[in-house]
Structures are given as structure tokens and as C-alpha cells.
Amino acid sequence: MPRLVLDESRIHPAVREVIAQNHRDIVEEVSAAVDANDIVVVGMAQNPSPKKARQLLEAAGLQYRYMEYGSYFNTWRRRNALKLWTGWPTFPMVFVKRQLIGGASDLEKLLASGELKKLLDER
């Protein structure tokens, strides 16, 4: 998948560490949860889409880890680090078996098609 990311050689050495450390804690926390759980939903308060994803998983009888970071009124800079890390522009971010599968509507499609079960049965 050709995803455009600014090559490190085009970033001045004086700011590389700033970029590398920008809210690194939240990225590491989510990354560790993704490594430790079959299904992870990363969301935010007041957004109905993370709630929808959780309801879909609960209706399917699937266990998941939910991580919530702020709301529309706060914490957007920290959440932005997750968007930069994944390339995914919205919440929720749903991970299955360490793979980003998209958001709530993407999860709904995978559940309806039976693909989610296949993903969970792999590896």
C-alpha cells in the first residue's frame, strides 16, 4: 500500500526527536493493547461510532478491550498522535489480531460477511 509519509531525510535533525516523541506514550499504550488482545476498540467519549462498534461486538458475543481518550472537548492533540501512527482519520479505530480493520462501519461489514470470524480464527 503506497502511503505517503515524509521521509526522515527530509526532516531537519533538530526536530526529529520532537516528532518521534510526540505523545509517544499514547501510541505505545495502544500498541501494547493491540499486541495483547485479539480485538481492541479505540474511541472517545460523546462519539456514537465507538459505542456502535462496542455494541456490535457485544451482540456477536466477542470480547474486546476498549480504550477511551477524551472527548470532542479535550485531548484531541493526544488522539491526533494515534491518527498519525495508523493513518486512520476517525474514531473508533478497531484492531483485530493486531491489524487495523477500520471503524464501526468496517467492523459491521466484516461481521455481516463472516470475514471477522475468519480473521479471529487465523494465526
Side-chain angles (χ1 to χ4, degrees):
M1 167 184 96
R3 179 173 164 218
L4 293 179
V5 177
L6 188 61
D7 188 85
E8 189 172 339
S9 67
R10 295 181 60 196
I11 300 171
H12 192 277
V15 298
R16 287 181 187 161
E17 189 64 18
V18 172
I19 292 169
Q21 297 303 321
N22 183 42
H23 299 294
R24 187 180 188 114
D25 61 321
I26 192 173
V27 173
E28 288 177 346
E29 183 175 68
V30 171
S31 181
V34 167
D35 287 344
N37 298 274
D38 283 347
I39 303 173
V40 176
V41 177
V42 181
M44 56 185 275
Q46 299 167 320
N47 182 332
S49 295
K51 183 177 182 180
K52 178 182 177 183
R54 292 171 28 221
Q55 289 171 336
L56 288 166
L57 292 167
E58 289 166 8
L62 297 169
Q63 291 190 345
Y64 62 92
R65 165 97 188 265
Y66 179 62
M67 305 176 83
E68 184 173 277
Y69 295 100
S71 71
Y72 288 110
F73 301 110
N74 59 40
T75 320
W76 70 267
R77 285 184 178 95
R78 287 179 48 78
R79 286 192 309 275
N80 195 48
L82 295 172
K83 292 179 178 186
L84 293 170
W85 173 58
T86 62
W88 190 251
T90 60
F91 290 94
M93 295 175 179
V94 182
F95 296 86
V96 176
K97 293 281 191 158
R98 302 183 71 206
Q99 184 177 42
L100 176 66
I101 59 116
S105 60
D106 305 289
L107 173 64
E108 187 170 31
K109 290 174 190 170
L110 290 179
L111 278 165
S113 71
E115 181 68 21
L116 185 67
K117 183 176 179 350
K118 291 177 189 174
L119 287 173
L120 289 168
D121 290 341
E122 291 178 0
R123 300 183 221 165

